[in-house]
């Protein structure tokens, strides 16, 4: 076999979204090239190029003439078992000089950020450099001009859609609040009114469910650009997974590195949100900012500051952005986890007697504001129009039609095992720890198991008696259920109850 060539092998190892390859440390290619573990290598097969992180192997499961691929790398490479591959050092990245400029206190203009984001979007920038970029942008590391330039650059290195109509609307929630699944109600209301709303959403990374996870219990969300466009042209709206398309692809890779670092970067947040909206061809965007002690935005001062930046950066990109501050003090609806949140959504759309009213009202407020932004309702009258569309069944019919267009409506699954946690004393619910609620739902298996999660039976200010149900855990296996319960017992109280006299 010619030098620098190895045979492809699928390792079957899940490395999440990071492409990883495995080579014997004593193989001829590794020795000749001077490769070391954690180095970035370029793999070439049938004209396709892949940049991946190298892990070296000394055991006999891998032959010296083979290179093994993680699941992420295998998918991206598109090789077949036994294909002959070229392995070499990757080309030198000139864009890393711009990163060094920022690390030394310099400012970056559009040209520099465009070059850097272009390499990021192609997977050419190693995670260690991405982490340094995220870190140096943390806090107030990006000024206004840099934030605008970064947002433009993130849009320009990916696909940008044009729907040939106006207005095209969208919404986004800053997040951090369990159960806040308004999108699945807002989109069908708005689309039923004749307004175009192509909604791309994310899957959960640190939460118990993302909007795409919840929607996937109803219909397929992994649609490409062409399929998504057909849905929108047919029904006026969609709810799909954003990562399935090259819409602001640099943002997807930055998020993958940013989330595990748990670094708060307002500039990166603004660029992330608005680059996706601009790339999707949206013109008018409503942004929901939940405010609460345990949400991403802790107080009204921080909310106002973020709002000003979103509006001003949006204006610089030609987007009309409006923000709304909402209550982030307790979960929205009852369910936390994909299928449980889906059941709340369907209860609202079907106008069931037991539908969570807080989810319904929040969705109506947001839908009403979007209808006003789209000039479908006069100021102050949007909520009334949204309520009429929901109450007469048009929103439900549109949601079913969108699901059918995306591949067919299905019934959300139900968990095999449940356990109810009850109140230990009489009193009034004074607080619900939203972070602990999300955590216990995740430990029960959400969102990996769509049916897993938690259902919260009480709201703040509810009066409860000893033995009344506070929340129920749902899991696919007894082991996961017991694991979540052990966490709950170690963290009590998750629902805070104050003893009070009779009213």
């Amino acid at each position: 076999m010619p030098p620098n060539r190895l045979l492809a092998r699928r390792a079957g190892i899940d490395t999440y979204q990071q492409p990883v390859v495995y080579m014997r440390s004593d193989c001829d290619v590794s020795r000749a090239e001077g490769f070391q573990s954690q180095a970035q290598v370029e793999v070439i097969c049938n004209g396709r190029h892949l940049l991946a992180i190298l892990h070296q192997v000394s055991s006999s499961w891998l032959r010296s003439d083979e290179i093994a691929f993680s699941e992420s790398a295998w998918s991206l490479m598109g090789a077949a078992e036994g294909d002959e591959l070229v392995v070499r050092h990757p080309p030198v990245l000139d864009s890393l000089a711009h990163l060094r400029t920022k690390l030394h206190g310099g400012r970056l203009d559009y040209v520099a950020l465009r070059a850097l984001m272009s390499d990021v979007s192609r997977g050419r920038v190693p995670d260690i450099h991405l982490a340094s970029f995220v870190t140096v942008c943390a806090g107030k590391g990006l000024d206004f001009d840099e934030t605008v330039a970064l947002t433009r650059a993130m849009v320009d290195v990916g696909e940008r859609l044009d729907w040939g109509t106006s207005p095209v609307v969208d919404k986004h929630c800053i997040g951090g609040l369990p159960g806040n699944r308004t999108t699945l109600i807002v989109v069908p209301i708005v689309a039923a009114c004749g307004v175009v709303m192509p909604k791309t959403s994310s899957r959960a990374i640190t939460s118990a469910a993302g909007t795409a996870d919840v929607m996937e219990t109803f219909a397929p969300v992994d649609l490409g650009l062409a399929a998504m466009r057909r849905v929108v042209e047919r029904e006026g709206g969609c709810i799909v997974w954003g990562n399935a398309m090259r819409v602001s692809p640099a943002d997807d890779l930055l998020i993958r590195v940013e989330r595990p670092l748990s670094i708060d970067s307002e500039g990166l947040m603004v660029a992330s949100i608005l680059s996706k909206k601009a790339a999707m061809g949206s013109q008018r965007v409503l942004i929901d900012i939940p405010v609460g002690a345990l949400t991403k935005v802790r107080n009204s001062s921080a909310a106002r500051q973020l709002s000003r930046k979103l509006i001003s950066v949006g204006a610089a990109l030609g987007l009309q952005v409006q923000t709304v501050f909402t209550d982030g003090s307790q979960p929205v609806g009852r369910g936390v986890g994909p299928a449980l949140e889906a059941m709340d959504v369907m209860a609202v759309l079907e106008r069931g007697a037991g539908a969570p009213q807080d989810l319904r009202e929040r969705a109506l407020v947001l839908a009403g504001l979007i209808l006003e932004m789209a000039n479908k309702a006069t100021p102050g009258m949007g909520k009334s129009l949204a309520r009429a569309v929901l109450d007469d069944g048009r929103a439900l019919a549109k949601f079913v039609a969108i699901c059918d267009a995306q591949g067919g409506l299905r019934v959300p699954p139900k968990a095999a095992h449940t356990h109810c946690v009850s109140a230990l004393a009489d009193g009034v619910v004074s607080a619900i720890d939203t972070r602990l609620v999300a955590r216990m739902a995740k430990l029960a298996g959400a969102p990996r198991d769509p049916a897993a999660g938690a259902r919260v039976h009480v709201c703040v200010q509810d009066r409860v008696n000893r033995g009344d149900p506070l929340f129920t855990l749902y899991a696919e296996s007894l082991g996961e259920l017991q694991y979540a319960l052990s966490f709950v017992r170690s963290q009590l109280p998750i629902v805070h109850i104050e003893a009070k006299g009779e009213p």
Side-chain angles (χ1 to χ4, degrees):
M1 194 161 57
N4 281 42
R5 292 178 184 266
L6 295 170
L7 301 177
R9 179 174 171 183
R10 186 175 184 177
I13 299 173
D14 183 3
T15 55
Y16 187 44
Q17 296 177 3
Q18 184 178 60
V20 175
V21 294
Y22 305 86
M23 294 169 55
R24 286 282 293 264
S25 56
D26 59 353
C27 80
D28 291 340
V29 174
S30 186
R31 291 167 63 88
E33 292 285 342
F35 291 144
Q36 295 182 335
S37 278
Q38 295 300 312
Q40 188 180 48
V41 298
E42 183 176 29
V43 186
I44 305 170
C45 177
N46 299 323
R48 299 187 69 173
H49 293 242
L50 172 71
L51 292 168
I53 298 300
L54 171 65
H55 287 189
Q56 291 189 320
V57 176
S58 58
S59 62
S60 60
W61 70 267
L62 187 67
R63 299 201 318 253
S64 60
D65 63 345
E66 293 178 323
I67 177 171
F69 290 76
S70 71
E71 290 297 280
S72 173
W74 187 258
S75 175
L76 291 169
M77 188 79 263
E81 291 274 359
D83 277 356
E84 197 172 283
L85 311 173
V86 174
V87 188
R88 67 188 186 188
H89 285 282
V92 176
L93 296 182
D94 294 334
S95 64
L96 292 185
H98 303 310
L99 175 54
R100 288 190 288 272
T101 296
K102 186 64 178 172
L103 288 169
H104 287 96
R107 296 180 67 260
L108 299 182
D109 59 13
Y110 170 79
V111 173
L113 287 164
R114 169 68 187 263
L116 184 58
M117 290 301 106
S118 178
D119 283 337
V120 169
S121 69
R122 295 173 184 173
R124 300 179 67 188
V125 180
D127 279 5
I128 191 169
H129 294 297
L130 288 178
S132 65
F133 179 73
V134 167
T135 303
V136 78
C137 292
K140 299 185 182 300
L142 293 173
D143 64 24
F144 175 78
D145 290 337
E146 285 179 308
T147 303
V148 172
L150 175 61
T151 310
R152 289 188 191 280
M154 291 167 72
V155 173
D156 292 346
V157 300
E159 300 279 354
R160 184 162 189 169
L161 303 184
D162 183 353
W163 297 98
T165 187
S166 182
V168 177
V169 302
D170 205 343
K171 73 170 282 287
H172 180 84
C173 179
I174 296 300
L177 191 60
N180 194 17
R181 214 51 59 206
T182 55
T183 292
L184 279 71
I185 303 167
V186 171
V187 170
I189 290 175
V190 171
C193 291
V195 180
V196 174
M197 191 170 182
K199 184 75 180 78
T200 60
S201 300
S202 62
R203 295 187 184 276
I205 296 177
T206 59
S207 65
T211 296
D213 299 310
V214 178
M215 184 62 181
E216 194 169 41
T217 68
F218 286 119
V221 297
D222 192 2
L223 276 62
L225 276 174
M228 185 268 289
R229 184 180 284 277
R230 286 194 295 271
V231 174
V232 176
E233 289 174 348
R234 172 176 149 182
E235 299 298 339
C238 67
I239 306 168
V240 299
W241 181 41
N243 288 34
M245 299 165 282
R246 278 187 59 83
V247 176
S248 190
D251 177 51
D252 299 330
L253 294 171
L254 286 172
I255 287 174
R256 177 170 60 80
V257 173
E258 185 180 11
R259 293 292 175 84
L261 291 173
S262 297
I263 291 178
D264 182 23
S265 174
E266 186 176 272
L268 284 179
M269 180 193 295
V270 170
S272 172
I273 295 168
L274 298 182
S275 66
K276 285 279 176 66
K277 304 310 178 189
M280 280 299 297
S282 301
Q283 300 151 353
R284 304 175 191 180
V285 182
L286 178 68
I287 299 180
D288 173 13
I289 305 179
V291 182
L294 298 177
T295 63
K296 292 181 181 180
V297 182
R298 306 292 177 82
N299 54 60
S300 57
S301 175
R304 288 192 296 270
Q305 176 179 311
L306 178 59
S307 173
R308 287 192 293 269
K309 196 159 192 176
L310 285 163
I311 292 170
S312 56
V313 173
L317 270 74
L319 296 175
Q320 178 188 330
V321 176
Q322 182 175 330
T323 62
V324 56
F325 304 156
T326 54
D327 177 23
S329 64
Q330 61 182 318
V332 180
R334 296 291 180 265
V336 181
L340 295 166
E341 295 179 32
M343 293 173 191
D344 282 351
V345 166
M346 188 54 73
V348 171
L349 288 171
E350 291 179 337
R351 292 94 68 205
Q357 292 304 299
D358 57 342
L359 177 62
R360 170 187 162 93
E361 287 303 306
R362 191 176 293 239
L364 290 176
V365 168
L366 299 177
L369 290 171
I370 293 172
L371 291 172
E372 292 172 20
M373 293 177 72
N375 299 321
K376 285 292 182 178
T378 56
M381 297 304 295
K383 186 178 178 182
S384 296
L385 174 57
R387 183 183 293 109
V389 173
L390 178 61
D391 287 347
D392 66 15
R394 279 179 287 168
L396 175 61
K398 177 58 69 175
F399 181 75
V400 171
I402 289 172
C403 288
D404 285 341
Q406 288 186 201
L409 179 66
R410 50 201 181 201
V411 178
K414 294 183 178 181
H417 304 280
T418 66
H419 182 90
C420 182
V421 175
S422 302
L424 298 177
D426 300 345
V428 173
V429 177
S430 60
I432 300 174
D433 192 313
T434 55
R435 287 188 178 179
L436 292 181
V437 167
R439 179 69 174 156
M440 69 181 182
K442 287 181 66 179
L443 293 177
R448 181 188 63 258
D449 296 327
R455 181 173 294 280
V456 181
H457 302 294
V458 295
C459 298
V460 174
Q461 297 302 316
D462 281 356
R463 178 173 290 276
V464 297
N465 296 317
R466 179 183 174 87
D468 285 350
L470 298 179
F471 53 85
T472 299
L473 287 170
Y474 295 75
E476 284 297 286
S477 72
L478 281 173
E480 286 175 311
L481 183 63
Q482 292 301 322
Y483 188 56
L485 280 172
S486 66
F487 170 79
V488 167
R489 291 173 183 132
S490 71
Q491 298 292 329
L492 290 174
I494 293 175
V495 176
H496 295 259
I497 298 173
E498 289 186 2
K500 291 188 178 180
E502 292 298 324

